[in-house]
Amino acid sequence: MLKRNRMMLLALVLTFVMILSACGGGNNNANTPAEATNNAANTATDTGNATDPAASDAIDTSKEVKLKMIFVGPKPVDYDSVFAEINKVLKEKINATVEGEFLDWSDWAQKYPLKLAANEDFDLIYSANWAGYNDQSLKGGFLELTDELLNKYMPETVAAMSDVSWDQAKVNGKLYMVPQNRGESVEKMILYREDLRKKYNLPEINSPESYATYLKTIAEKEKGVTPFTPETGDWKYHNLDRVLLKQQNEWNMFDLDLPFAFKLDDPAGKVFNVYETQEFKDLLVYYKDLADNNAWSKNVLNSKNDHQADFKAGKTASITHNNGTLGALMALMRQENSPYEVALADINQGKKKSVAISTQNGTSIHATSKNVERSLMFINLMQNDKQLHDLMMYGISGVHYEPVGDDKYKALDKNPNYTGFSNWNFNSPLNRDNEAFPQEASDFVKNWESGVYHYDLETFVFDNSKVKTEIANVGNVMLRYAIPLEYGVIDNIDKGLADLSKQLKSAGVEKIQAELQAQIDAFLANKQ
């Protein structure tokens, strides 16, 4: 349905563009993308305002609308100035303005579901698979986005987005998100202080063993520097697990709030409990050794530290995150002439790497929004209008960045004043790449993308509606019993695992596993 409408719309728009060109008319937007599809998208967007009598399917925007959107991450220092510019353009194009509310990284995980549960008054919200998109969709927090709504209010997005991306964003066959329209690698890497590795003549960090050597040496010899600082948040697994469980063993975990995984190359998709594996027990021994050697803070379970800020300030010697985030941090530190030499490490070289599905970043509309139509038009502009996309993603030209051609930018001194929050939901083919993005980070991405592993369950979505209570109970057990084990604060690993297993069974873990496996079996049967 979407595909057919998309092709018909694109043909009509391109015809309209040619007519305008022949008459000497055209797009008022001075910044147009190179691709014909995006040229058509921008032209249609600019002429689609109801105030334009030439619009073929006019939408009434005569009433001014004030939208409110929830982002995750800290409020940018220059929020007021950038969003003032965004609102000037929005007012001209769709007679709307937008106000952002920001949930800081230290407490977003608690506040995000409360915003939806309390039915607060807002229109749009950043959404993502890692932020409970499936769960919130099933709970009714997000509005269902029908083909009719999409085709009418965001035709350019429909034309540009692949069917695969739309399908990946569906929950029980229904759509509750406009996903990002640009893929990305989300495999976790390690960013570390290369100057300290050289200072102590340590081996290259390219394996779990060499990384452990680095951490323990820093703990012993570099006073005042924490060897590793984890990302804060209500995580059931920490980022090192993504490296040392997921990557190392070539597993995939369906949901970081559940203890289940499957082997990437298993055609049967057999689910197992991560906590019952020998691999997990071996990793706990690894973690216990690191904890006993002061590889992280004794207060790690209660820490609210910003791991990126601590690394930038030289307070910690290593952190984990995805390639794009770490590369951007490296670029910023080099731009600011940081006294620290930094480098990236892949400690699972040769292991299967995957790419993020479209729901890694997206935008959802609050189920109680009173401004659905204008909200969709807003998302459509942010993904397809070059002027607005640049403002939302990079700030003000000449203040926060300088454009470099059509697809790159140079970060200026005030660039840090407009970073760190979730504008990634508007990722699209219009994205610019930072010309200072480290070559080594780009090389890692190119190497991974050349051998991306696609697996049968890549687009599987778990419907947890039958086991919601059990999932909540299991999540509480993971936080109380599993996280202390993972940070090495439980002396007796065997007893800790036994206690964890007992509590998980009482919480209903086996019921969840059975339901998950049944849905996987049905999904795989339908693919044959």
Side-chain angles (χ1 to χ4, degrees):
M1 176 87 173
L2 283 173
K3 185 175 183 180
R4 183 174 68 252
N5 290 336
R6 190 162 62 237
M7 296 304 295
M8 292 174 62
L9 173 71
L10 185 56
L12 289 171
V13 170
L14 288 173
T15 301
F16 187 45
V17 172
M18 288 188 285
I19 292 171
L20 283 178
S21 299
C23 297
N27 191 337
N28 291 327
N29 187 350
N31 298 308
T32 57
E35 293 85 355
T37 298
N38 288 324
N39 270 322
N42 274 348
T43 304
T45 299
D46 288 346
T47 58
N49 194 318
T51 60
D52 183 353
S56 60
D57 186 18
I59 296 172
D60 183 10
T61 58
S62 57
K63 179 183 177 181
E64 181 180 356
V65 167
K66 295 182 179 180
L67 303 173
K68 183 175 181 180
M69 178 166 180
I70 309 297
F71 295 91
V72 296
K75 184 177 182 179
V77 174
D78 286 352
Y79 162 82
D80 289 336
S81 61
V82 176
F83 271 65
E85 292 299 312
I86 288 172
N87 284 330
K88 285 180 187 177
V89 183
L90 284 175
K91 186 76 167 62
E92 294 174 1
K93 290 183 179 288
I94 60 171
N95 197 22
T97 55
V98 63
E99 174 191 357
E101 180 180 345
F102 298 82
L103 308 180
D104 201 83
W105 291 118
S106 63
D107 54 13
W108 77 269
Q110 291 78 32
K111 290 184 177 180
Y112 186 98
L114 294 178
K115 288 279 179 189
L116 294 161
N119 280 329
E120 291 191 15
D121 185 16
F122 62 88
D123 300 289
L124 303 115
I125 186 167
Y126 172 86
S127 54
N129 49 25
W130 53 267
Y133 167 65
N134 292 353
D135 188 42
Q136 293 300 336
S137 298
L138 293 168
K139 285 181 177 178
F142 303 143
L143 181 76
E144 181 189 351
L145 305 179
T146 64
D147 286 3
E148 181 182 3
L149 285 172
L150 297 177
N151 286 318
K152 183 173 183 178
Y153 297 107
M154 51 191 322
E156 295 74 46
T157 302
V158 171
M161 190 86 69
S162 72
D163 286 344
V164 171
S165 293
W166 290 120
D167 288 343
Q168 288 178 344
K170 290 179 179 177
V171 179
N172 285 352
K174 296 181 179 181
L175 186 72
Y176 300 92
M177 167 198 285
V178 179
Q180 64 179 0
N181 195 17
R182 181 174 174 174
E184 62 176 320
S185 171
V186 293
E187 294 285 4
K188 303 301 178 184
M189 300 188 69
I190 292 167
L191 181 63
Y192 69 95
R193 289 271 302 276
E194 172 71 355
D195 56 316
L196 294 180
R197 186 190 72 81
K198 290 178 177 178
K199 178 179 178 180
Y200 297 111
N201 195 29
L202 297 172
E204 178 186 356
I205 300 176
N206 57 12
S207 68
E209 293 75 23
S210 57
Y211 183 49
T213 297
Y214 174 82
L215 295 177
K216 289 190 281 189
T217 302
I218 300 304
E220 178 187 357
K221 298 183 177 181
E222 197 69 19
K223 303 305 179 187
V225 177
T226 302
F228 171 76
T229 298
E231 182 179 8
T232 58
D234 187 18
W235 304 112
K236 308 301 190 301
Y237 294 100
H238 51 66
N239 276 342
L240 276 181
D241 289 334
R242 318 274 194 99
V243 176
L244 295 169
L245 272 179
K246 180 178 178 292
Q247 284 181 20
Q248 178 72 15
N249 299 302
E250 297 185 340
W251 294 348
N252 190 56
M253 298 173 183
F254 296 96
D255 186 326
L256 295 176
D257 288 337
L258 293 172
F260 304 119
F262 64 94
K263 294 180 180 179
L264 288 176
D265 58 2
D266 179 9
K270 182 174 175 56
V271 175
F272 53 85
N273 185 334
V274 169
Y275 297 146
E276 294 178 347
T277 64
Q278 184 62 43
E279 289 88 346
F280 183 71
K281 183 175 181 179
D282 292 343
L283 183 58
L284 292 184
V285 174
Y286 178 90
Y287 286 155
K288 185 70 170 67
D289 177 55
L290 291 179
D292 290 345
N293 285 279
N294 302 309
W296 43 70
S297 167
K298 297 293 186 186
N299 192 40
V300 66
L301 296 181
N302 302 309
S303 175
K304 295 292 184 182
N305 288 16
D306 182 329
H307 68 312
Q308 293 185 52
D310 280 2
F311 185 83
K312 186 169 174 283
K315 296 178 181 179
T316 188
S318 67
I319 59 174
T320 48
H321 218 293
N322 60 58
N323 182 288
T325 298
L326 297 183
L329 181 56
M330 292 174 73
L332 177 61
M333 292 177 71
R334 289 171 181 174
Q335 176 191 342
E336 295 179 345
N337 297 313
S338 170
Y340 312 117
E341 182 183 359
V342 299
L344 289 167
D346 175 8
I347 63 174
N348 287 315
Q349 297 180 21
K351 297 291 185 177
K352 292 182 176 68
K353 303 293 196 299
S354 58
V355 293
I357 63 173
S358 63
T359 55
Q360 179 66 23
N361 299 295
T363 315
S364 294
I365 296 178
H366 195 197
T368 60
S369 170
K370 300 178 182 65
N371 304 301
V372 173
E373 295 83 1
R374 217 72 62 91
S375 294
L376 288 168
M377 295 170 75
F378 165 78
I379 302 170
N380 189 55
L381 285 170
M382 288 302 162
Q383 283 202 3
N384 299 285
D385 183 280
K386 186 70 169 175
Q387 182 184 12
L388 279 167
H389 186 79
D390 278 347
L391 278 167
M392 177 61 77
M393 302 300 283
Y394 314 110
I396 299 171
S397 177
V399 177
H400 302 103
Y401 79 102
E402 282 182 4
V404 179
D406 287 333
D407 59 0
K408 288 185 171 57
Y409 73 94
K410 176 182 178 182
L412 301 179
D413 289 344
K414 290 190 176 180
N415 178 263
N417 290 351
Y418 189 71
T419 58
F421 72 101
S422 62
N423 52 3
W424 326 298
N425 49 319
F426 301 122
N427 282 337
S428 82
L430 299 182
N431 277 25
R432 296 178 181 272
D433 295 322
N434 188 343
E435 67 169 6
F437 193 77
Q439 186 59 48
E440 57 266 51
S442 296
D443 290 344
F444 272 119
V445 171
K446 289 178 182 177
N447 181 52
W448 288 356
E449 289 181 347
S450 66
V452 165
Y453 187 80
H454 293 285
Y455 48 95
D456 289 341
L457 291 174
E458 202 165 29
T459 58
F460 171 79
V461 176
F462 179 41
D463 175 4
N464 64 13
S465 57
K466 295 180 180 179
V467 286
K468 282 184 176 295
T469 299
E470 289 80 8
I471 286 175
N473 292 338
V474 164
N476 290 332
V477 170
M478 292 170 72
L479 286 174
R480 182 176 177 184
Y481 291 89
I483 291 296
L485 270 170
E486 296 210 41
Y487 283 113
V489 301
I490 304 296
D491 289 331
N492 189 325
I493 292 176
D494 288 330
K495 184 178 184 304
L497 280 171
D499 291 342
L500 173 61
S501 178
K502 178 181 177 181
Q503 294 297 328
L504 285 173
K505 287 179 180 178
S506 296
V509 71
E510 292 171 338
K511 181 179 178 181
I512 302 171
Q513 185 171 347
E515 177 64 24
L516 178 58
Q517 189 68 65
Q519 291 185 29
I520 287 171
D521 293 344
F523 176 85
L524 292 175
N526 288 332
K527 287 176 70 76
Q528 295 177 357

